[in-house]
């Protein structure tokens, strides 16, 4: 194997054979080390979470990947191919100037106009001190009710957009809530406070592009009406055909009210989990 | 109230429909029992030694080596598919790449496990690396198979890390992403290693000057069996994948890959099989007319023993070689599922028969005037270890199919063709 070890001879065949063997082993090891190094580099350069999210996004149902402009009725049909990051979407400005033509009928849910919404059912409210408050929207709140357990990040922890910001547990189901934007946690609340995190965004809030990836205005209504439809179809009683309600409002604490539903799927679709 | 029924739904790829956990465990049970018996038999061999087998100094290669050669040949679908997809850019084969890697991993890990028992002194296995005999084909085989198993394990890791729960961890998924980007390098290394160990396994027999039934002339240091083994392995590998995928489709009741992909695999397998048969015919004629007579043996002497007559040669070359090559290549028969599966099974049986003949018939035939025709029947420990490897393969594949995205790379779950 090596010079000095019994059986090794300085012959062409021996040296050639072992050189080839070591070259192959070295190639394999370098390949693995390179993958590990690239992984570490991605984490240091904040790219890791983006890669992670994009991979998970690609696995989402097409119905969950609709473009915000379709939701607002600006275009007939468009699937997002940019992992909901409109900040880097070349087509954004092209469609954003078109008039919104979506239906704006009552939904029975309260969506304040001063907030921005992430597709993972969190809202972002800019505060005067340059931070933002983050909470879960009303649909998510009615779904989960009061969580059995909430695990929040520590103050000072950095978050990337679409990273798991905090976890909740309800009836044995773990829910991972995605961060709606990148920044540093400067305060933690909870269900009783009505907000979960205060975040100092990494980008300037004054910049219009900072919150561009979040839904606002007519897009929220289009998105929410589709989410309500999905929820009704998913929460149909066992052994019955899925059906849409022709009225009424969403009940609070649905996970306790409709225990036999396929909550794994419902929660995964609602909170954009893989 | 939360359901208390035992479920593994959280581990199953979203959008993929699977049988209930209890039914799955029921399916695994008999295989687990078979595996347990195999492990017990292997433990007996390792603890008490190779006297637990019916092999001896004269009949040193038996059922285990036949199994090794057989599954290594059939597992060639892994490297060959990787070669076609990553090196030759035949992207249409991508949907079966994951399943090819898993099948390859099972075949090679099973073969290495059996080799560890067969060596008899597994704790001294490192000797072959530390004090290599570079004049032995077996050394090359050992080095290449060890490295290739490492490559297959590395190719399996990205598939493993795509499990629904594992991929929730960013570090795993990012590592999987980065490793996946480097898989073409591994595919190229795997191709090189496979080429040489498949060849050297054949060369191993071809250089046996004391066994005229196996001894062959060749090119430079490589006897013709070196090239025949490579050809037969890459010809049967795609057929074996056809059989595996069709069996999984049958067992699960789902359509996993489009019919066109079957046809493409069949065509690749058929063409390569035809080339193999042609080369094999030339090799056999040269051996019968020149190589063997030069060693002092008339060809008929090899085929006068009961069970090892000329029909076995006919079966190997015509019945399980030329015929399936025709059926796999011909568009009409390849388009018919029953014909396709029959032909693929025949191609796999052909390569297994070839390995059986070279392993068992080579050692059974007398070479010296005072030699007898040897009889060998494997002991129950050998058979149980053999069956244990089959059970291991079924279990690993079943687990992989249930918890990993083995087929296709759907653009979102709505576009699942098959439900995977």
């Amino acid at each position: 194997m090596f010079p000095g070890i019994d059986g090794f001879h300085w012959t062409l065949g021996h040296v050639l054979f072992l050189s080839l063997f070591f070259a192959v082993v070295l190639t394999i090891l370098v390949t693995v080390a390179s993958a590990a190094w690239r992984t570490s580099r991605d984490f240091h350069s904040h790219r890791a979470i983006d890669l992670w999210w994009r991979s998970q996004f690609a696995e989402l149902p097409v119905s969950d990947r609709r473009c915000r402009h379709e939701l607002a009725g600006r275009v007939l049909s468009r699937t997002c191919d940019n992992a909901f990051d409109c900040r880097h979407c070349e087509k954004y400005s092209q469609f954003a100037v078109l008039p919104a033509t979506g239906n704006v009928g009552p939904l029975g849910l309260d969506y304040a106009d001063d907030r921005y919404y992430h597709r993972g059912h969190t809202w972002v409210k800019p505060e005067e001190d340059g931070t933002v408050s983050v909470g879960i929207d009303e649909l998510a709140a009615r779904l989960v009710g009061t969580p059995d357990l909430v695990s929040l990040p520590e103050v000072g922890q950095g978050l990337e957009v679409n990273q798991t910001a905090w976890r909740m547990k309800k009836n044995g189901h773990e829910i991972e809530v995605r961060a709606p934007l990148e920044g540093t946690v400067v305060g933690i609340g909870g269900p009783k406070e009505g907000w979960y995190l205060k975040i100092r965004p990494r980008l300037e809030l004054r910049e219009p592009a900072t919150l561009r990836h979040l839904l606002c205005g007519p897009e929220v209504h289009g998105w929410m009406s589709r989410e309500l439809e999905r929820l009704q179809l998913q929460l149909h009683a066992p052994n019955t055909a899925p059906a849409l309600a022709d009225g009424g409002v969403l009940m609070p604490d649905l996970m306790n009210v409709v225990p036999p539903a396929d909550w794994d799927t419902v929660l995964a679709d609602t909170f954009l989990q893989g | 109230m939360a359901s208390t029924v035992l479920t593994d739904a959280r581990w199953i790829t979203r959008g993929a429909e699977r049988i209930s956990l209890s039914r799955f465990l029921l399916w695994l049970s008999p295989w687990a029992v078979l595996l347990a018996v195999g492990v017990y038999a292997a433990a007996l061999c390792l603890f008490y030694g190779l006297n637990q087998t019916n092999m001896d100094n004269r009949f040193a290669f038996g059922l285990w080596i036949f199994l090794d050669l057989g599954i290594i040949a059939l597992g060639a679908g892994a490297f060959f598919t990787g070669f076609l997809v990553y090196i030759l850019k035949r992207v249409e084969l991508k949907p079966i790449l994951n399943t090819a890697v898993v099948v390859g991993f099972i075949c090679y890990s099973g073969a290495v496990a059996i080799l560890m028992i067969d060596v008899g002194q597994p704790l001294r296995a490192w000797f072959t690396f530390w004090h290599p005999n570079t004049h032995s084909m077996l050394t090359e085989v050992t080095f290449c198979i060890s490295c290739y198993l490492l490559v297959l394990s590395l190719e399996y890791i990205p598939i493993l890390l795509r499990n629904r729960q594992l991929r929730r961890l960013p570090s795993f998924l990012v590592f999987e992403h980065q490793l996946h980007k480097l898989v073409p390098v591994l595919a190229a290394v795997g191709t090189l290693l496979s080429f040489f160990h498949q060849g050297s396994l054949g060369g191993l027999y071809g250089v046996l000057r004391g066994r005229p039934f196996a001894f062959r002339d060749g090119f430079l240091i490589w006897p013709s069996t070196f090239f025949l083994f490579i050809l037969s392995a890459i010809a049967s590998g795609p057929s074996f994948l056809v059989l595996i995928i069709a069996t999984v489709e049958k067992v699960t009741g789902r359509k996993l890959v489009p019919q066109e992909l079957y046809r493409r695999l069949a065509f690749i397998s058929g063409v390569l099989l035809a080339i193999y048969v042609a080369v094999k015919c030339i090799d056999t004629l040269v051996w019968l007319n020149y190589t063997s007579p030069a060693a002092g043996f008339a060809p008929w002497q090899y085929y006068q023993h009961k069970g090892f007559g000329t029909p076995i040669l006919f079966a190997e070359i015509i019945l399980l070689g030329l015929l399936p090559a025709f059926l796999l290549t011909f568009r009409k028969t390849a388009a018919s599922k029953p014909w396709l599966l029959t032909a693929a099974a025949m191609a796999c049986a052909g390569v297994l028969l070839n390995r059986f003949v070279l392993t068992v018939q080579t050692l059974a035939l007398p070479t010296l005037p005072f030699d007898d025709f040897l009889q060998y029947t494997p002991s129950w420990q050998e058979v149980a270890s053999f069956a244990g490897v089959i059970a291991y393969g079924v279990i690993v594949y079943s687990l992989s199919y249930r918890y990993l995205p083995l087929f296709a790379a759907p653009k979102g779950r709505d576009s699942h063709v098959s439900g995977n």
Side-chain angles (χ1 to χ4, degrees):
Chain A
M1 175 65 94
F2 298 110
I5 291 172
D6 185 36
F8 182 87
H9 304 288
W10 284 105
T11 57
L12 178 68
H14 217 124
V15 172
L16 193 69
F17 179 82
L18 289 176
S19 302
L20 261 174
F21 171 68
F22 286 125
V24 167
V25 172
L26 205 64
T27 307
I28 296 170
L29 293 180
V30 166
T31 304
V32 179
S34 169
W37 177 76
R38 286 166 178 227
T39 305
S40 161
R41 186 193 59 187
D42 287 338
F43 272 96
H44 282 107
S45 63
H46 304 295
R47 277 193 68 231
I49 298 298
D50 186 49
L51 285 172
W52 177 65
W53 160 244
R54 281 178 187 274
S55 169
Q56 301 226 334
F57 175 82
E59 300 284 320
L60 290 175
V62 174
S63 56
D64 276 1
R65 288 188 278 139
R66 308 318 301 159
C67 170
R68 66 192 302 163
H69 300 304
E70 180 190 318
L71 299 173
R74 294 186 188 110
V75 293
L76 198 60
S77 172
R78 186 163 190 268
T79 306
C80 175
D81 54 6
N82 216 25
F84 292 151
D85 194 350
C86 313
R87 292 176 292 194
H88 300 111
C89 178
E90 291 174 359
K91 302 268 184 179
Y92 174 81
S93 48
Q94 182 186 333
F95 293 121
V97 293
L98 298 172
T101 58
N103 180 16
V104 287
L107 291 172
L109 296 170
D110 182 26
Y111 283 89
D113 288 341
D114 61 344
R115 297 176 189 187
Y116 297 84
Y117 294 89
H118 182 265
R119 303 287 186 100
H121 286 278
T122 49
W123 52 255
V124 172
K125 183 183 174 193
E127 304 290 353
E128 288 182 355
D129 60 357
T131 64
V132 295
S133 302
V134 175
I136 56 172
D137 65 22
E138 196 174 349
L139 184 141
R142 291 196 184 198
L143 202 70
V144 178
T146 307
D148 299 334
L149 185 76
V150 178
S151 307
L152 294 165
E154 290 179 6
V155 171
Q157 185 178 323
L159 288 176
E160 298 297 326
V161 63
N162 297 313
Q163 180 181 359
T164 301
W166 73 91
R167 290 182 166 81
M168 302 189 287
K169 267 204 168 173
K170 178 78 174 190
N171 295 347
H173 298 279
E174 189 174 67
I175 302 161
E176 293 177 351
V177 183
R178 293 190 184 276
L181 80 173
E182 55 282 88
T184 308
V185 179
V186 292
I188 50 173
K192 284 181 187 165
E193 285 82 357
W195 54 272
Y196 283 76
L197 298 179
K198 280 204 190 300
I199 296 176
R200 182 169 298 284
R202 187 179 300 150
L203 305 171
E204 280 292 327
L205 266 183
R206 288 187 303 249
E207 290 294 322
T210 301
L211 300 175
R212 185 189 283 168
H213 63 294
L214 300 171
L215 302 181
C216 60
E219 298 154 354
V220 181
H221 193 280
W223 168 58
M224 199 47 60
S225 61
R226 291 185 189 207
E227 285 292 275
L228 275 172
E229 263 182 36
R230 173 184 60 78
L231 208 56
Q232 288 182 58
L233 294 172
Q234 287 181 327
L235 294 182
H236 67 93
N239 304 320
T240 61
L244 291 172
D246 53 2
V249 294
L250 204 60
M251 292 176 71
D253 204 6
L254 278 171
M255 288 187 76
N256 279 336
V257 176
V258 196
D262 179 5
W263 282 107
D264 270 335
T265 305
V266 174
L267 293 172
D269 282 347
T270 305
F271 293 96
L272 302 182
Q273 294 169 0
Chain B
M1 298 288 283
S3 169
T4 53
V5 178
L6 190 63
T7 175
D8 58 350
R10 289 164 60 86
W11 292 84
I12 295 173
T13 307
R14 288 197 61 208
E17 289 174 23
R18 295 289 181 270
I19 55 172
S20 68
L21 181 60
S22 50
R23 281 186 67 194
F24 181 64
L25 291 175
L26 198 66
W27 153 259
L28 286 187
S29 307
W31 300 107
V33 171
L34 203 57
L35 177 62
V37 175
V39 169
Y40 174 67
L44 284 177
C45 295
L46 290 173
F47 191 78
Y48 293 111
L50 292 178
N51 60 0
Q52 299 291 303
T53 73
N54 280 347
M55 289 182 285
D56 54 32
N57 289 342
R58 279 286 316 279
F59 221 114
F61 284 2
L63 182 68
W64 287 343
I65 293 295
F66 159 64
L67 173 74
D68 279 340
L69 294 184
I71 59 179
I72 282 175
L74 298 179
F79 99 81
F80 194 56
T81 311
F83 171 73
L84 290 174
V85 171
Y86 291 115
I87 313 296
L88 297 188
K89 305 290 179 199
R90 302 305 299 262
V91 287
E92 70 271 22
L93 296 175
K94 222 168 183 175
I96 58 153
L97 201 55
N98 287 355
T99 215
V101 167
V102 175
V103 168
F105 175 79
I106 290 168
C107 288
Y108 277 80
S109 54
V112 168
I114 281 291
L115 272 175
M116 293 294 269
I117 308 166
D118 205 357
V119 166
Q121 292 272 15
L123 294 180
R124 294 185 187 173
W126 61 276
F127 271 43
T128 192
F129 298 101
W130 203 246
H131 307 289
N133 171 11
T134 53
H135 301 290
S136 167
M137 291 269 185
L138 259 183
T139 303
E140 190 185 327
V141 170
T142 312
F143 277 44
C144 287
I145 286 184
S146 310
C147 288
Y148 188 50
L149 182 58
L150 182 64
V151 168
L152 279 171
S153 307
L154 291 172
E155 287 179 341
Y156 191 26
I157 286 174
I159 303 170
L160 206 61
L161 293 180
R162 292 196 76 80
N163 169 266
R164 187 177 164 190
Q165 289 300 317
L166 298 181
R167 71 200 305 275
R168 291 170 73 177
L169 302 172
S171 48
F172 279 8
L173 200 73
V174 176
F175 181 67
E176 179 272 327
H177 173 79
Q178 294 296 358
L179 193 57
H180 189 77
K181 282 206 283 193
L182 296 170
V183 160
V185 178
L186 296 175
V189 171
T191 302
L192 176 85
L193 291 169
S194 297
F195 184 83
F196 277 102
H197 77 246
Q198 295 282 1
S200 290
L201 278 171
L204 191 71
Y205 292 96
V207 297
L208 293 178
R209 196 170 282 275
R211 298 282 178 183
F213 180 72
F215 180 73
R216 294 288 191 280
D217 292 316
F219 174 72
L220 295 177
I221 60 168
W222 298 288
S224 60
T225 45
F226 181 95
F227 305 101
L228 285 170
F229 261 52
I230 296 170
L231 263 176
S232 57
I234 58 176
S236 62
S239 274
F240 189 56
L241 281 177
V242 165
L243 278 184
I244 293 283
I245 297 168
T247 306
V248 177
E249 282 191 343
K250 186 81 181 164
V251 170
T252 60
R254 295 181 205 293
K255 182 94 183 114
L256 299 172
V257 297
Q259 184 64 25
E260 176 57 26
L261 205 55
Y262 277 111
R263 216 193 59 71
R264 196 159 288 271
L265 282 172
F267 184 76
I268 293 168
S269 191
V271 169
L272 289 168
L273 199 58
I275 297 171
Y276 164 69
V277 169
V279 179
K280 172 84 180 166
C281 286
I282 296 168
D283 173 71
T284 304
L285 287 173
V286 171
W287 168 66
L288 289 174
N289 291 294
Y290 298 100
T291 317
S292 185
F297 283 81
W300 59 264
Q301 285 180 273
Y302 302 122
Y303 297 104
Q304 63 181 351
H305 303 280
K306 196 179 175 188
F308 291 94
T310 45
I312 211 165
L313 184 65
F314 175 79
E316 192 190 332
I317 297 178
I318 307 297
L319 193 62
L320 302 175
L322 191 61
L323 185 57
F326 175 75
L327 293 173
L328 288 167
T329 317
F330 190 48
R331 184 177 281 272
K332 262 193 174 174
T333 44
S336 147
K337 201 75 173 278
W339 276 114
L340 173 71
L341 297 182
T342 307
M346 288 166 76
C348 293
V351 79
L352 288 176
L353 181 63
N354 172 260
R355 285 4 180 207
F356 175 82
V357 164
L358 269 178
T359 307
V360 176
Q361 193 170 356
T362 296
L363 293 177
L365 291 170
T367 51
L368 297 170
F370 49 83
D371 274 348
D372 293 323
F373 180 76
L374 287 180
Q375 300 281 349
Y376 156 80
T377 311
S379 68
W380 77 263
Q381 289 93 330
E382 287 175 80
V383 176
S385 308
F386 182 105
V389 170
I390 307 292
Y392 155 79
V394 173
I395 291 171
V396 172
Y397 191 87
S398 300
L399 289 169
S400 300
Y401 175 77
R402 186 171 179 83
Y403 297 113
L404 306 174
L406 283 199
F407 289 96
K411 296 276 182 210
R413 293 189 304 274
D414 288 7
S415 59
H416 269 204
V417 179
S418 58
N420 195 3

